[in-house]
Amino acid sequence: MAITHALAALPQEIAALVSASPHPELLLSVDFSIAAASEVYLELLDAPAQAVVGKDIREVFGGSPGLTGLAASLETVVRLGTKHWMGQGAFLLPGRREGGGELIFDVVNAPVLSPDGSVVWIIHTVRELGQLEAVRETARLANEAALQAAEARLRSVLQTVPDAMIIIDERGRIESLSATAERLFGYTMAEAAGKNIKLFMPEPHRGQHDEYLKRYLTTGEKRIIGIGRIVVGQRKDGTSFPMHLTIGELRSANRHYFTGFIRDLTDQQMTQDRLKELQSEVTHMSRFTALGEMASTLAHEINQPLTAINNYLKGCHRLLERIEGEQVPALRDALSRAADQALRAGQIIRRLREFVSRGDSERRVENLPKLIEDASTLAMVGTRENAITVSFRLDPRAEQVLVDRIQIQQVLVNLIRNAVEILSESPGRRELEIETLLESDGTIQVGVSDSGTGLAPEVRAHLFQPFVTTKQKGMGLGLSICRTIVEAHGGKIWADPRPRGGTIFRFTLRVPEESEEAALGQQ
Ligand code: ADP
């Protein structure tokens, strides 16, 4: 800066000083017209003095991106009477030099004060930072270097974080894996890099993940981002395991990443807690249905003797009518009271049966794939040591069902648990498959099949009846509860041998009709 304070200087002297300055400088009046320009400044602009001197600076730089900032800076100088650093701005050359275009200037404006402290002139100085393209290139290189450094830092973080962590890009391609994630899924970073994250998921997510991502990126609809949840993961060897997944979002410059933090739930204490939590509602239901099942069996079993008692009592009553004696009326009275009590016992049992079978059943339109996912996660927890391969074959047309979610989940959990139990005792490959299929009659068939040893001959005929079991600690109620629930939903349940060995349990569910869906939607 050549001059900051020129208290006594006359206008001509100041103008002469600025014109002769070895720095790029302009002398501006307080209304921003240019009183003088240094040679260097004119060279920078590649404009003759007459194109600049005498003009308003806002006119000289008309249309420049940096003009607003410049005007604001000059106004600040006039208002406050202090030097102001405007910073960088892009300015169009007034002479429109061939191939030139914009120049980046770093601008400082400083006041020349009169003895009473008021601003009389402004000295405007610039430092040339180069042409815009060059500046952008420098910025790009700097950004790239920063990005590379950040990536290097990230890589070192990924090597050391104790969590399993995966970073994917906006198209679901794996960018990085932490060392723990490599161990957990059985893939090395080199194998996984650039592959779609679907690799780590069993069906049905495998087929749906691209859609989830696309929907999120176009609509912003969050299904899982920011919310942790339990899902099933798939290792390289094809085995599945329950895991807790939390997804975060990372936006850098012009790219969009998602980070997934994964906790393996297989062996953790947490699994047990979470399992209890998840199970409590299903178990509650299970006890309730078990009770219902017992009540209805009891009712059935006790009704017969009760009817017999009633008949015998009626017979006795008739016999008594033919007998004379002092004690007879009292005997008759006692008999009819006994008959009343037998009747009452029958009623109590009937009422109990009605009460329990009515239950708290709450039917809603539910998403079947989601329901299956939750049930299988729940049923699969703690099954790692059995190395079971779980696969899903879900019919995309079988999405919505009208069911009591908890009850149908219970059916699935029972069937899957039975399959897991039989598989853990089976030699050879342990495969469990869950499939859905929309039938031509509009019902949905759900199948749970296992590659186990098949049904024991002694249970085959009475499979769905209560108290039929081959297990030492079994109650033999699971399948009969399944039957009760499925039939209460208007469906059927049955078991077939699986062609390649093992058993397939299937049950049917109804698809909600449009009117039901609409009615439920309004609730
Ligand atoms: P529990 O499991 O208490 O025995 P269930 O009603 O669930 O009661 O099962 C009854 C019986 O059916 C079992 O004891 C078992 O013998 C047989 N069973 C059930 N599922 C399967 C299966 N997937 N493979 C072979 N046998 C099965």
Side-chain angles (χ1 to χ4, degrees):
M1 184 100 12
I3 305 167
T4 44
H5 287 259
L7 295 181
L10 294 168
Q12 304 89 305
E13 288 174 316
I14 296 175
L17 274 170
V18 168
S19 303
S21 166
H23 305 284
E25 283 177 356
L26 291 182
L27 181 70
L28 302 177
S29 66
V30 287
D31 60 1
F32 311 153
S33 65
I34 301 168
S38 71
E39 277 304 312
V40 194
Y41 200 104
L42 292 171
E43 268 168 34
L44 267 184
L45 296 193
D46 195 22
Q50 62 269 32
V52 174
V53 179
K55 301 259 167 69
D56 188 309
I57 191 166
R58 289 165 295 193
E59 188 189 322
V60 171
F61 289 123
S64 297
L67 187 60
T68 327
L70 176 62
S73 170
L74 293 170
E75 275 155 20
T76 308
V77 172
V78 173
R79 198 172 62 246
L80 302 178
T82 53
K83 188 159 87 176
H84 184 260
W85 178 58
M86 174 200 139
Q88 292 168 22
F91 293 92
L92 294 171
L93 301 175
R96 310 258 183 269
R97 175 163 47 177
E98 250 337 90
E102 289 178 350
L103 271 183
I104 303 289
F105 285 154
D106 194 13
V107 180
V108 177
N109 296 304
V112 177
L113 302 171
S114 71
D116 67 5
S118 61
V119 178
V120 281
W121 300 103
I122 303 165
I123 304 221
H124 160 91
T125 323
V126 300
R127 190 160 62 95
E128 190 191 4
L129 292 178
Q131 298 206 327
L132 192 58
E133 280 315 309
V135 172
R136 285 201 181 127
E137 180 60 14
T138 317
R140 197 183 60 75
L141 289 174
N143 269 342
E144 215 164 73
L147 213 64
Q148 271 168 10
E151 270 173 17
R153 261 202 311 276
L154 182 65
R155 265 196 299 280
S156 77
V157 169
L158 285 172
Q159 284 315 304
T160 43
V161 280
D163 298 294
M165 194 181 154
I166 301 176
I167 301 180
I168 61 168
D169 68 8
E170 68 274 9
R171 288 168 60 189
R173 286 174 308 204
I174 297 167
E175 285 272 336
S176 327
L177 283 187
S178 71
T180 314
E182 285 182 318
R183 277 196 300 278
L184 182 59
F185 288 94
Y187 289 95
T188 64
M189 177 61 204
E191 286 172 310
K195 301 249 171 68
N196 196 296
I197 186 71
K198 288 189 280 192
L199 199 63
F200 293 176
M201 303 172 189
E203 291 290 356
H205 310 283
R206 186 170 272 223
Q208 293 169 355
H209 192 258
D210 284 345
E211 277 306 307
Y212 284 156
L213 257 183
K214 229 183 274 162
R215 185 167 39 216
Y216 173 64
L217 291 170
T218 50
T219 66
E221 184 194 343
K222 289 184 182 175
R223 296 230 163 167
I224 180 168
I225 294 166
I227 321 159
R229 56 186 276 208
I230 296 188
V231 296
V232 183
Q234 182 163 296
R235 302 188 190 88
K236 189 180 176 186
D237 63 9
T239 53
S240 319
F241 64 100
M243 59 186 222
H244 187 268
L245 174 67
T246 319
I247 294 190
E249 224 179 335
L250 256 178
R251 276 171 219 252
S252 91
N254 42 12
R255 304 214 38 197
H256 206 141
Y257 297 96
F258 297 95
T259 52
F261 283 91
I262 292 148
R263 232 168 329 146
D264 181 359
L265 296 183
T266 328
D267 323 296
Q268 294 189 8
Q269 175 55 40
M270 217 209 90
T271 316
Q272 297 311 322
D273 300 346
R274 178 68 187 142
L275 181 63
K276 270 190 210 132
E277 195 183 300
L278 267 169
Q279 257 176 343
S280 68
E281 46 174 16
V282 175
T283 326
H284 170 75
M285 194 55 232
S286 154
R287 265 194 227 113
F288 201 64
T289 337
L291 203 73
E293 199 57 38
M294 279 197 203
S296 98
T297 315
L298 264 180
H300 187 74
E301 298 293 326
I302 293 180
N303 254 341
Q304 281 173 350
L306 279 176
T307 317
I309 291 173
N310 225 3
N311 289 341
Y312 284 123
L313 288 174
K314 274 187 197 145
C316 291
H317 213 268
R318 274 197 296 277
L319 281 175
L320 269 183
E321 276 171 8
R322 284 182 243 140
I323 296 172
E324 302 272 318
E326 215 178 285
Q327 313 279 34
V328 170
L331 212 58
R332 210 179 284 146
D333 184 47
L335 273 183
S336 89
R337 277 168 199 258
D340 285 349
Q341 290 305 313
L343 213 66
R344 203 173 136 227
Q347 277 165 356
I348 289 173
I349 284 184
R350 242 191 321 281
R351 234 179 293 142
L352 177 66
R353 190 181 179 181
E354 271 168 23
F355 169 72
V356 188
S357 65
R358 214 181 321 127
D360 282 340
S361 180
E362 237 186 81
R363 307 251 169 102
R364 287 179 197 287
V365 176
E366 300 282 352
N367 179 290
L368 185 60
K370 172 88 179 66
L371 203 150
I372 290 178
E373 175 202 326
D374 287 350
S376 54
T377 308
L378 178 58
M380 290 298 297
V381 169
T383 59
R384 178 184 189 163
E385 59 283 8
N386 300 329
I388 293 169
T389 311
V390 187
S391 56
F392 296 84
R393 249 194 314 151
L394 304 184
D395 187 336
R397 299 167 305 160
E399 265 252 315
Q400 298 206 312
V401 281
L402 182 70
V403 295
D404 181 313
R405 181 176 58 90
I406 307 273
Q407 289 188 348
I408 295 300
Q409 261 177 14
Q410 197 194 331
V411 171
L412 285 162
V413 169
N414 278 345
L415 295 181
I416 298 170
R417 280 277 181 190
N418 275 345
V420 167
E421 273 177 43
I422 199 93
L423 284 173
S424 50
E425 294 160 7
S426 306
R429 268 188 80 79
R430 293 170 175 174
E431 291 163 10
L432 194 158
E433 186 173 65
I434 302 172
E435 54 177 11
T436 60
L437 186 68
L438 180 69
E439 297 281 1
S440 50
D441 66 357
T443 55
I444 290 175
Q445 210 178 84
V446 184
V448 176
S449 65
D450 63 72
S451 61
T453 48
L455 294 172
E458 68 268 27
V459 297
R460 210 173 286 157
H462 315 284
L463 202 55
F464 296 98
Q465 285 174 15
F467 314 119
V468 172
T469 182
T470 51
K471 299 171 193 166
Q472 251 180 357
K473 288 188 186 158
M475 283 266 282
L477 278 175
L479 289 176
S480 69
I481 290 172
C482 291
R483 196 203 60 209
T484 310
I485 293 175
V486 169
E487 286 177 358
H489 279 77
K492 282 184 304 182
I493 183 165
W494 69 99
D496 286 322
R498 183 171 167 272
R500 285 169 292 152
T503 318
I504 311 181
F505 278 86
R506 294 188 212 270
F507 62 94
T508 55
L509 288 175
R510 241 163 31 85
V511 177
E513 283 166 17
E514 261 170 44
S515 56
E516 289 172 322
E517 222 171 286
L520 282 163
Q522 281 161 11
Q523 276 177 10

